[in-house]
Amino acid sequence: FFSVHGQVSYSIPEEMTKGSFVGNIAQDLGLDIKRLKSGKAHIYTGDSAEYIELNKERGVLLIKERIDREALCGETTPCALHHQIILENPLEFYSITIEITDINDNSPGFKKNEMKFEIIESSQPGARFVLDRAVDNDVGVNDLQSYTLKPTDNFILKSHILPDGSKNVEMVLQTPLDREKQEQISLILTAVDGGEPQLSGTMRIIITVLDANDNAPVCSQAVYKASVTENAPKGTIVATVSATDADQDSYGKVTYSISNIVEGEAELFEVNNDDGVVSLLGNIDYERMKKYQIDIQARDAGGLIDSCKVIVDVSDLNDNKPIINIMSKTNAILEDAVSGTVVTIINVQDSDSGANGKVECSINENIPFTIKSTSNHFYGLVTDSDLDRERASEYNISVMCSDEGVPSLSSSVTLTLQISDVNDNAPVFEMSSYEAYIIENNTPGLSIFTVKARDADWNQNARVSYILEDSSVNGVPVSSYVSVSADSGVIHAVRTFDYEHKKDFKFRVKAQDGGSPPLSSNVTVKIMIQDQNDNAPQVLYPVQTSSSLVAEMVPRSADVGYLVTKVVAVDVDSGQNAWLSYKLQKATDRALFEVGLQNGEIRTIRQVNDKDSVKQRLTVVVEDNGQPSRSATVNVNVAVADSFPEVLSEFTDFTHDKEYNDNLTFYLVLALAVVSFMFITCLMVIISVKIYRWRQSRILYHSNLPVIPYYPPRYADTLGTGTLQHVYNYEVCRTTDSRKSDCQFARPCSQNVLIMDPSSTGTMQRIQSEQNILDEPDSPIEYLPHHLCILERESSTQGAQSGLQGTLTP
């Protein structure tokens, strides 16, 4: 809150010229010239004229307009100007009093230049005649001091000091008059003041001597007192004066008139010539004049007079509203302003007096401001609680000032105050955390979703930018996964996501405003990648290769429901995209085998008989449940036989046919490419090259057979329906031309694959036995009731023997 920081007084004479020096205000108040400039120092004069101005460059007070003390204060002493100097940023308040001293610039003057009397010659010495008073607007020693009357043969002057301090001048008859000697007498009345130099004024008095009228009128009271309310209507009776005259006829009739009329009073009062009733002629204003003195003269027809006074006291009415003046006003204030910050300084004036002039000011309720009185007629509007622009960005403050009169009069003014924003609110996300979904195999740059934060501040302080906080996902910067738009908060995918590689990841986004310093908040975002059916099922068993042949062996004695093998497949997708179903697409004999829809087990659906072909080829389709679905196929070779020789002979032919067909296709494609190229060059070259290629192909055909290795995984019957309980090792030997084979039981082993290498030109060596299988023709042969993998090795030497070794496991 603010107070008067200092006060200073000066005294100057009136009528100083414009620009005259009054005082060094900066020095006297201890203020710096720079402070006067930065604080926008100015003089507040209220509603009065601006007589004084402030020179901020020099820090001095100068005369702005000529000062007439008499016009400014009249007869009031001392006469002073009460001004205030106000500085802003911060607000400072200084009081200045400038006393205006009087100079003798007004000479005494009479309202009339001439005054006439008719005096009867029989008037006795000592008769009094009231003269008009001179008026001198100066005060003190410069005011009217004395009167002189010349010549003084018949009259002398006497003055009386009245209760109100004024002087009443009377002319007293000193020697009797004689009309016969001198019918008319001329006198000069001089009024003199006490100034330096001394000034004076004169009035001529002409006296006409009449015949005798020996009784003068006599007023019933020397002083009449009356009171009248201001703003009383015209014609209101103020008082009634009366005088009596002992004479008769015309000499006994008294008439009344107002004498010694001060300027301005003639328009306010009048007296009835016959009955002495004093009434209002104009409008009386208490604030202009609080008391009036009226001189009433009673005169008879013979010229004899008497005088009395009517003193009129004016009663105040509450007829003036308080006047509100805004001395200094702040249009905007920061919302973080401390309690007690001064917003506006107000000056309130009420011209009425007493209770009618006492003013109380108040403001509207439920706002964070209050109004306090600092000194007489000054009020300060200050904050009394914390401000919040987000709650209210503008206040319309109504200041109402009421006096204590009956009825009370009031005035009001409305101040508009803007609350300037301070960056006191951090951005707030609409959600405490976010979860978003994106389907895998997206295109880079795809918009995933948008995070949104709001800031309750205004303008730059509410401008939100979005920043991706540094973090990593499995050691990889999160910026290589997603990006965020700084302006909109849209999150984009930077890369293509793969559900099978990463199912979800988290990161944090920071929302930062544009304030200084900036405020921020962050939120956790979880991106969940949704699976897409983008992976076909993968068959794990049986393994399919282009250079090997796998066969499952089924004995002809197998019953219905015999478990041949089990197709094992997986799908790296998830959910229903990974639900697999198995179907038998093609089969050599569809009436012999079936595939389990859910487990992929291949079982017999009838009793195997001798008519069934040894070689059975099944094509199984593995299909997932995605939309659209994906599938994979697997070929399962089944050998229906009770002995190895039968199995080997059948599948050897199959191998030879497969190799021949593969080689033939290769050479046909190669020949077609060569022929096309050579045809362009020249026909003879094509023929030569074709013969050469043909010869080369024949040589390759007779000399090279590919090796087809295969190593299947161990098969386990999870349902316990398999027929093999142990692992066995078999040796099979045959000649080139023979279709019969012998199998020799060797030992248990952990392998279940019979491998034949057709590319070898020598004999196979047995792994576990040094004896040739032909040396033991009587060795017992044990047939395998379960599946068998067979590979063939064919010797290029006529009559050579081949060794075949294999192992089998359930």
Side-chain angles (χ1 to χ4, degrees):
F1 194 65
F2 74 96
S3 60
V4 178
H5 286 70
Q7 58 185 6
V8 64
S9 298
Y10 298 100
S11 178
I12 60 173
E14 62 175 330
E15 304 294 344
M16 291 179 69
T17 59
K18 184 177 180 180
S20 298
F21 176 80
V22 176
N24 192 327
I25 191 68
Q27 179 180 343
D28 296 338
L29 291 178
L31 296 175
D32 188 39
I33 299 297
K34 295 181 180 179
R35 173 62 180 134
L36 293 177
K37 295 179 181 179
S38 63
K40 300 178 182 179
H42 60 277
I43 296 178
Y44 174 75
T45 61
D47 56 355
S48 62
E50 296 183 8
Y51 295 104
I52 306 297
E53 65 178 352
L54 172 62
N55 187 319
K56 289 184 283 187
E57 300 294 332
R58 298 166 52 197
V60 297
L61 297 178
L62 303 177
I63 298 295
K64 185 176 182 181
E65 295 292 341
R66 187 183 66 86
I67 303 176
D68 185 0
R69 194 207 65 80
E70 290 73 31
L72 182 64
C73 299
E75 296 182 0
T76 302
T77 57
C79 178
L81 296 176
H82 299 280
H83 293 336
Q84 292 78 35
I85 289 185
I86 298 174
L87 284 79
E88 300 178 358
N89 299 321
L91 282 171
E92 295 182 4
F93 185 75
Y94 298 91
S95 178
I96 302 174
T97 301
I98 302 174
E99 182 180 358
I100 311 300
T101 60
D102 185 45
I103 64 174
N104 193 22
D105 58 340
N106 293 280
S107 61
F110 295 92
K111 188 168 182 63
K112 299 177 182 179
N113 294 327
E114 185 179 84
M115 191 173 185
K116 294 182 179 182
F117 290 92
E118 292 181 349
I119 303 174
I120 194 168
E121 63 178 337
S122 60
S123 297
Q124 298 297 318
R128 298 174 180 272
F129 302 91
V130 177
L131 303 178
D132 288 349
R133 290 178 297 171
V135 176
D136 192 333
N137 291 328
D138 293 324
V139 295
V141 296
N142 297 323
D143 195 3
L144 178 65
Q145 297 296 320
S146 62
Y147 294 91
T148 60
L149 183 65
K150 292 181 180 180
T152 58
D153 297 337
N154 299 102
F155 296 91
I156 61 172
L157 284 178
K158 285 189 178 181
S159 60
H160 302 281
I161 299 177
L162 300 176
D164 61 353
S166 62
K167 291 182 178 181
N168 189 22
V169 181
E170 295 178 337
M171 183 176 62
V172 181
L173 182 62
Q174 186 177 13
T175 60
L177 300 176
D178 187 355
R179 191 185 72 86
E180 288 71 27
K181 290 181 178 180
Q182 191 176 7
E183 185 177 355
Q184 191 174 62
I185 301 173
S186 178
L187 305 175
I188 299 299
L189 179 63
T190 303
V192 181
D193 62 23
E196 288 292 339
Q198 194 174 58
L199 300 179
S200 63
T202 60
M203 180 178 66
R204 184 180 180 188
I205 301 174
I206 298 175
I207 301 172
T208 302
V209 180
L210 301 177
D211 283 338
N213 178 23
D214 55 353
N215 291 290
V218 178
C219 292
S220 60
Q221 292 180 227
V223 177
Y224 291 85
K225 289 187 177 181
S227 107
V228 64
T229 303
E230 67 171 329
N231 299 327
K234 294 180 181 179
T236 299
I237 297 175
V238 177
T240 301
V241 297
S242 65
T244 59
D245 193 322
D247 293 326
Q248 294 182 350
D249 298 329
S250 61
Y251 292 118
K253 185 178 180 182
V254 180
T255 59
Y256 303 91
S257 63
I258 297 177
S259 62
N260 293 327
I261 299 178
V262 180
E263 184 179 358
E265 294 182 2
E267 295 82 10
L268 297 179
F269 302 96
E270 66 176 354
V271 62
N272 189 288
N273 291 333
D274 297 327
D275 55 17
V277 173
V278 180
S279 59
L280 288 179
L281 186 62
N283 187 31
I284 292 181
D285 188 358
Y286 174 85
E287 287 71 39
R288 182 179 176 186
M289 185 70 73
K290 299 177 176 58
K291 180 181 291 188
Y292 293 91
Q293 178 178 305
I294 308 171
D295 291 332
I296 306 296
Q297 192 175 73
R299 180 191 296 269
D300 61 17
L304 299 179
I305 61 174
D306 193 9
S307 62
C308 61
K309 295 180 180 295
V310 177
I311 297 177
V312 181
D313 291 322
V314 182
S315 301
D316 184 35
L317 280 182
N318 191 26
D319 59 342
N320 292 281
K321 292 182 178 180
I323 299 175
I324 301 175
N325 298 307
I326 305 300
M327 296 179 59
S328 179
K329 182 177 71 172
T330 301
N331 294 323
I333 185 173
L334 293 174
E335 62 175 324
D336 63 349
V338 297
S339 180
T341 300
V342 179
V343 177
T344 300
I345 300 176
I346 299 173
N347 173 255
V348 182
Q349 299 289 340
D350 193 321
S351 301
D352 294 321
S353 63
N356 296 332
K358 292 183 179 179
V359 178
E360 291 292 334
C361 293
S362 62
I363 60 174
N364 44 318
E365 298 179 351
N366 301 322
I367 58 174
F369 300 93
T370 186
I371 189 167
K372 295 183 178 180
S373 176
T374 62
S375 60
N376 191 24
H377 307 304
F378 287 94
Y379 294 85
L381 181 65
V382 298
T383 60
D384 69 341
S385 62
D386 294 336
L387 304 176
D388 188 357
R389 191 208 64 84
E390 290 70 41
R391 184 177 60 196
S393 61
E394 180 182 279
Y395 289 95
N396 290 320
I397 306 171
S398 295
V399 179
M400 177 173 287
C401 297
S402 304
D403 59 28
E404 297 182 5
V406 179
S408 176
L409 299 180
S410 63
S411 298
S412 64
V413 63
T414 299
L415 306 175
T416 300
L417 182 63
Q418 301 288 338
I419 307 302
S420 300
D421 186 45
V422 173
N423 191 27
D424 57 348
N425 291 278
V428 178
F429 284 94
E430 294 178 346
M431 301 176 63
S432 59
S433 63
Y434 290 88
E435 289 186 356
Y437 298 85
I438 183 172
I439 299 176
E440 64 173 334
N441 302 318
N442 59 287
T443 57
L446 177 68
S447 173
I448 302 176
F449 78 111
T450 302
V451 294
K452 193 69 176 178
R454 301 185 184 277
D455 195 312
D457 292 321
W458 182 74
N459 205 0
Q460 183 67 25
N461 294 332
R463 185 173 298 170
V464 179
S465 299
Y466 301 91
I467 302 170
L468 183 65
E469 290 191 348
D470 293 335
S471 61
S472 61
V473 179
N474 295 338
V476 179
V478 71
S479 58
S480 64
Y481 284 83
V482 293
S483 65
V484 59
S485 174
D487 296 327
S488 62
V490 177
I491 296 178
H492 298 273
V494 175
R495 62 166 63 179
T496 299
F497 296 116
D498 185 359
Y499 174 83
E500 288 72 38
H501 178 261
K502 173 70 67 176
K503 294 180 174 56
D504 60 69
F505 61 93
K506 293 181 179 180
F507 57 92
R508 295 181 73 82
V509 175
K510 179 170 71 173
Q512 180 174 290
D513 60 28
S516 180
L519 300 179
S520 63
S521 61
N522 50 40
V523 68
T524 300
V525 179
K526 182 178 183 181
I527 302 295
M528 289 176 284
I529 304 170
Q530 293 181 323
D531 185 41
Q532 196 177 42
N533 192 26
D534 58 340
N535 293 282
Q538 297 178 3
V539 178
L540 301 180
Y541 185 83
V543 178
Q544 300 291 293
T545 64
S546 60
S547 59
S548 63
L549 179 64
V550 181
E552 305 289 345
M553 189 169 178
V554 177
R556 295 186 179 276
S557 61
D559 294 331
V560 176
Y562 178 81
L563 176 62
V564 178
T565 187
K566 181 175 182 179
V567 178
V568 180
V570 295
D571 193 322
V572 295
D573 293 322
S574 66
Q576 65 178 9
N577 294 330
W579 296 351
L580 301 180
S581 60
Y582 303 84
K583 297 178 183 178
L584 184 61
Q585 186 181 47
K586 292 188 297 183
T588 304
D589 187 354
R590 297 186 69 90
L592 181 58
F593 300 101
E594 68 175 357
V595 179
L597 180 64
Q598 303 297 331
N599 55 25
E601 294 178 349
I602 300 176
R603 295 179 181 271
T604 59
I605 56 177
R606 64 175 175 81
Q607 181 71 41
V608 180
N609 54 46
D610 296 336
K611 296 180 180 181
D612 293 325
S613 174
V614 175
K615 293 190 297 182
Q616 297 286 335
R617 186 179 179 87
L618 308 178
T619 302
V620 178
V621 177
V622 183
E623 186 177 43
D624 61 26
N625 197 36
Q627 293 296 330
S629 63
R630 293 178 178 268
S631 62
T633 59
V634 60
N635 294 321
V636 181
N637 295 309
V638 179
V640 180
D642 291 325
S643 63
F644 271 79
E646 184 179 1
V647 174
L648 292 174
S649 63
E650 290 293 335
F651 281 87
T652 301
D653 293 342
F654 179 80
T655 303
H656 278 286
D657 294 341
K658 186 175 186 302
E659 290 178 359
Y660 178 78
N661 290 334
D662 291 342
N663 290 335
L664 182 60
T665 301
F666 170 73
Y667 290 122
L668 286 175
V669 173
L670 183 61
L672 180 60
V674 172
V675 169
S676 299
F677 174 75
M678 298 304 293
F679 180 78
I680 299 172
T681 309
C682 119
L683 184 59
M684 293 301 294
V685 176
I686 294 175
I687 295 173
S688 300
V689 173
K690 187 173 182 182
I691 293 173
Y692 174 77
R693 293 292 184 183
W694 180 78
R695 287 178 179 177
Q696 292 295 324
S697 65
R698 293 300 298 170
I699 294 173
L700 293 172
Y701 178 79
H702 289 290
S703 65
N704 186 24
L705 290 175
V707 178
I708 309 175
Y710 177 68
Y711 303 96
R714 183 187 299 267
Y715 172 76
D717 183 8
T718 58
L719 298 179
T721 58
T723 56
L724 291 180
Q725 303 298 326
H726 302 283
V727 178
Y728 296 93
N729 186 9
Y730 293 90
E731 293 182 356
V732 180
C733 300
R734 69 180 179 85
T735 62
T736 305
D737 296 330
S738 174
R739 283 189 171 271
K740 294 198 183 236
S741 301
D742 292 327
C743 293
Q744 180 180 4
F745 172 80
R747 61 181 177 80
C749 184
S750 61
Q751 300 294 326
N752 67 341
V753 181
L754 294 177
I755 304 175
M756 292 178 291
D757 187 0
S759 66
S760 176
T761 58
T763 5
M764 257 185 126
Q765 298 299 322
R766 288 186 298 232
I767 298 176
Q768 298 296 333
S769 175
E770 294 296 332
Q771 280 187 316
N772 195 305
I773 198 169
L774 296 178
D775 296 337
E776 298 176 10
D778 298 330
S779 298
I781 299 175
E782 184 170 341
Y783 296 93
L784 299 178
H786 205 38
H787 52 281
L788 182 66
C789 288
I790 304 172
L791 296 175
E792 180 179 355
R793 176 187 299 274
E794 183 175 4
S795 174
S796 62
T797 306
Q798 188 88 16
Q801 294 180 345
S802 300
L804 179 65
Q805 181 177 8
T807 59
L808 180 68
T809 182

